[in-house]
Coordinates of all heavy atoms in Angstrom, one line a residue:
H1 N 93.8 -115.6 113.4 CA 95.1 -115.4 112.7 C 94.8 -114.9 111.3 O 93.8 -115.3 110.6 CB 95.9 -116.8 112.6 CG 97.3 -116.6 112.2 ND1 97.6 -116.5 110.9 CD2 98.4 -116.6 112.9 CE1 99.0 -116.5 110.8 NE2 99.5 -116.5 112.0
P2 N 95.7 -114.1 110.7 CA 95.5 -113.6 109.3 C 95.2 -114.7 108.3 O 94.5 -114.5 107.4 CB 96.7 -112.8 109.0 CG 97.3 -112.4 110.3 CD 96.9 -113.5 111.3
L3 N 95.9 -115.8 108.4 CA 95.7 -116.9 107.5 C 94.4 -117.6 107.6 O 93.9 -118.2 106.6 CB 96.9 -117.9 107.5 CG 98.1 -117.5 106.6 CD1 98.8 -116.3 107.2 CD2 99.0 -118.7 106.4
A4 N 93.8 -117.5 108.7 CA 92.5 -118.2 108.9 C 91.4 -117.7 107.9 O 90.6 -118.4 107.5 CB 92.0 -118.0 110.4
Y5 N 91.5 -116.4 107.6 CA 90.6 -115.8 106.6 C 90.8 -116.4 105.2 O 89.9 -116.1 104.4 CB 90.7 -114.3 106.6 CG 90.5 -113.7 108.0 CD1 91.5 -113.3 108.8 CD2 89.1 -113.5 108.4 CE1 91.2 -112.7 110.1 CE2 88.9 -113.0 109.7 CZ 89.9 -112.6 110.5 OH 89.7 -112.1 111.7
H6 N 91.9 -117.1 105.0 CA 92.1 -117.6 103.6 C 92.2 -119.1 103.6 O 92.5 -119.7 102.5 CB 93.5 -117.0 103.1 CG 93.6 -115.5 103.1 ND1 93.1 -114.8 102.1 CD2 94.0 -114.7 104.1 CE1 93.3 -113.5 102.4 NE2 93.8 -113.4 103.6
R7 N 91.9 -119.8 104.7 CA 92.1 -121.2 104.7 C 91.2 -122.0 103.7 O 91.7 -122.9 103.1 CB 91.8 -121.8 106.1 CG 92.0 -123.3 106.3 CD 93.3 -123.8 105.9 NE 94.4 -123.1 106.7 CZ 95.7 -123.2 106.3 NH1 96.0 -123.8 105.2 NH2 96.6 -122.6 107.0
A8 N 90.0 -121.6 103.5 CA 89.2 -122.3 102.5 C 89.8 -122.2 101.1 O 89.9 -123.2 100.4 CB 87.8 -121.7 102.5
A9 N 90.3 -121.1 100.7 CA 91.0 -120.9 99.4 C 92.3 -121.7 99.4 O 92.6 -122.3 98.4 CB 91.2 -119.5 99.1
F10 N 93.0 -121.7 100.5 CA 94.2 -122.5 100.5 C 94.0 -124.0 100.4 O 94.6 -124.7 99.6 CB 95.0 -122.3 101.9 CG 95.6 -120.9 102.1 CD1 95.9 -120.5 103.3 CD2 95.8 -120.1 101.0 CE1 96.5 -119.2 103.5 CE2 96.4 -118.8 101.2 CZ 96.8 -118.4 102.4
R11 N 93.0 -124.5 101.1 CA 92.6 -125.9 101.0 C 92.2 -126.2 99.5 O 92.6 -127.3 99.0 CB 91.4 -126.2 101.9 CG 91.8 -126.2 103.3 CD 91.6 -127.6 104.0 NE 91.9 -127.5 105.4 CZ 93.0 -127.9 105.9 NH1 94.0 -128.4 105.2 NH2 93.3 -127.9 107.2
Q12 N 91.5 -125.4 98.9 CA 91.0 -125.6 97.5 C 92.2 -125.6 96.6 O 92.3 -126.4 95.6 CB 90.1 -124.5 97.1 CG 89.4 -124.8 95.8 CD 88.2 -123.8 95.5 OE1 88.2 -122.7 96.1 NE2 87.3 -124.2 94.7
A13 N 93.3 -124.9 96.9 CA 94.5 -124.8 96.1 C 95.5 -125.9 96.5 O 96.6 -126.0 95.9 CB 95.2 -123.5 96.2
G14 N 95.1 -126.8 97.5 CA 96.0 -127.9 97.8 C 97.0 -127.6 98.9 O 97.9 -128.4 99.2
L15 N 96.9 -126.5 99.6 CA 97.8 -126.1 100.7 C 97.3 -126.8 102.0 O 96.1 -126.7 102.2 CB 97.9 -124.6 100.9 CG 98.9 -123.9 99.9 CD1 98.3 -123.7 98.5 CD2 99.3 -122.6 100.5
V16 N 98.3 -127.3 102.8 CA 97.9 -127.9 104.0 C 98.3 -126.9 105.2 O 99.1 -126.0 105.0 CB 98.6 -129.3 104.2 CG1 98.1 -130.2 103.1 CG2 100.1 -129.1 104.2
S17 N 97.7 -127.2 106.3 CA 98.0 -126.4 107.5 C 99.1 -127.0 108.3 O 99.5 -128.2 108.0 CB 96.8 -126.3 108.4 OG 96.5 -127.5 109.0
A18 N 99.7 -126.2 109.2 CA 100.8 -126.8 110.1 C 100.3 -128.0 110.8 O 101.0 -129.0 111.0 CB 101.2 -125.7 111.0
D19 N 99.1 -128.0 111.3 CA 98.5 -129.1 112.0 C 98.4 -130.4 111.1 O 98.7 -131.5 111.6 CB 97.2 -128.8 112.6 CG 96.6 -129.9 113.4 OD1 97.3 -130.3 114.4 OD2 95.5 -130.4 113.1
D20 N 98.1 -130.2 109.8 CA 98.0 -131.3 108.9 C 99.3 -132.1 108.8 O 99.3 -133.3 108.5 CB 97.5 -130.8 107.5 CG 96.1 -130.3 107.5 OD1 95.3 -130.6 108.3 OD2 95.9 -129.4 106.6
L21 N 100.4 -131.4 108.9 CA 101.7 -132.0 108.7 C 101.9 -133.2 109.6 O 102.7 -134.1 109.3 CB 102.8 -130.9 108.9 CG 102.8 -129.8 107.9 CD1 103.9 -128.8 108.3 CD2 102.9 -130.2 106.5
T22 N 101.3 -133.1 110.8 CA 101.5 -134.2 111.8 C 100.9 -135.5 111.3 O 101.2 -136.6 111.8 CB 101.0 -133.8 113.2 OG1 99.5 -133.6 113.1 CG2 101.6 -132.6 113.7
R23 N 99.9 -135.4 110.4 CA 99.2 -136.6 109.9 C 99.6 -137.1 108.6 O 99.1 -138.1 108.0 CB 97.7 -136.3 110.0 CG 97.2 -136.1 111.4 CD 95.7 -135.9 111.4 NE 95.3 -134.6 110.9 CZ 95.4 -133.4 111.5 NH1 95.9 -133.4 112.7 NH2 95.0 -132.3 110.9
L24 N 100.6 -136.4 107.9 CA 101.0 -136.8 106.6 C 102.3 -137.6 106.7 O 103.1 -137.5 107.6 CB 101.3 -135.5 105.7 CG 100.0 -134.7 105.5 CD1 100.4 -133.4 104.8 CD2 99.0 -135.5 104.6
P25 N 102.5 -138.6 105.7 CA 103.6 -139.5 105.8 C 104.9 -138.8 105.4 O 105.0 -137.8 104.7 CB 103.3 -140.5 104.8 CG 102.3 -139.9 103.8 CD 101.6 -138.9 104.6
N26 N 106.0 -139.4 105.9 CA 107.4 -138.9 105.6 C 107.5 -138.9 104.1 O 107.0 -139.8 103.4 CB 108.4 -139.9 106.2 CG 109.8 -139.3 106.3 OD1 110.0 -138.1 106.3 ND2 110.7 -140.2 106.3
H27 N 108.2 -137.9 103.6 CA 108.5 -137.7 102.1 C 107.3 -137.2 101.3 O 107.4 -137.1 100.1 CB 109.1 -138.9 101.5 CG 110.4 -139.3 102.2 ND1 111.5 -138.6 102.3 CD2 110.6 -140.5 102.9 CE1 112.4 -139.2 103.0 NE2 111.9 -140.4 103.4
H28 N 106.1 -137.0 101.9 CA 105.0 -136.5 101.2 C 105.2 -135.1 100.8 O 105.7 -134.3 101.5 CB 103.7 -136.6 102.1 CG 102.5 -136.2 101.5 ND1 101.7 -137.1 100.7 CD2 101.8 -135.0 101.5 CE1 100.6 -136.5 100.3 NE2 100.6 -135.2 100.7
F29 N 105.0 -134.8 99.5 CA 105.3 -133.4 99.0 C 104.1 -132.5 99.4 O 103.0 -132.9 99.2 CB 105.3 -133.5 97.4 CG 106.0 -132.2 96.9 CD1 107.3 -132.1 96.8 CD2 105.2 -131.2 96.5 CE1 107.9 -131.0 96.2 CE2 105.7 -130.0 95.9 CZ 107.1 -129.9 95.8
V30 N 104.5 -131.4 100.1 CA 103.4 -130.6 100.6 C 103.6 -129.1 100.2 O 104.7 -128.7 99.7 CB 103.5 -130.6 102.2 CG1 103.1 -131.9 102.7 CG2 104.8 -130.1 102.7
H31 N 102.5 -128.4 100.3 CA 102.5 -126.9 100.0 C 101.9 -126.3 101.3 O 100.8 -126.7 101.7 CB 101.5 -126.6 98.8 CG 101.9 -127.2 97.5 ND1 101.7 -128.5 97.2 CD2 102.6 -126.6 96.5 CE1 102.1 -128.7 96.0 NE2 102.7 -127.6 95.5
V32 N 102.6 -125.4 101.9 CA 102.1 -124.7 103.1 C 102.2 -123.2 102.9 O 103.1 -122.7 102.2 CB 102.8 -125.1 104.4 CG1 102.6 -126.6 104.7 CG2 104.3 -124.8 104.3
A33 N 101.4 -122.5 103.6 CA 101.4 -121.0 103.7 C 101.6 -120.6 105.1 O 101.0 -121.3 106.0 CB 100.2 -120.4 103.1
G34 N 102.3 -119.5 105.4 CA 102.5 -119.1 106.7 C 103.1 -117.7 106.8 O 103.6 -117.2 105.9
C35 N 103.0 -117.2 108.0 CA 103.7 -116.0 108.4 C 105.0 -116.3 109.0 O 105.1 -117.2 109.9 CB 102.8 -115.3 109.5 SG 103.6 -113.9 110.3
V36 N 106.1 -115.7 108.4 CA 107.4 -116.0 108.9 C 107.6 -115.3 110.3 O 107.6 -114.1 110.4 CB 108.5 -115.4 107.9 CG1 109.9 -115.8 108.5 CG2 108.3 -116.0 106.5
I37 N 107.8 -116.2 111.3 CA 107.9 -115.6 112.7 C 109.4 -115.7 113.1 O 109.8 -115.1 114.1 CB 107.0 -116.3 113.7 CG1 107.2 -117.8 113.8 CG2 105.5 -116.0 113.3 CD1 106.5 -118.4 114.9

């Protein structure tokens, strides 16, 4: 996926992946990047 090439930089900047959202608590403030489908 186009975002896979940027995941290391995203992680370093504090962005989480869609999969990470399943393990984070309710009301946790998140930053995500994605392709609008």
Side-chain angles (χ1 to χ4, degrees):
H1 191 279
L3 270 71
Y5 299 102
H6 303 276
R7 182 55 56 198
F10 289 161
R11 288 240 183 261
Q12 192 170 22
L15 279 77
V16 298
S17 70
D19 184 56
D20 294 334
L21 299 177
T22 63
R23 293 182 291 281
L24 295 171
N26 196 24
H27 305 297
H28 185 82
F29 196 85
V30 297
H31 300 79
V32 297
C35 170
V36 180
I37 61 170

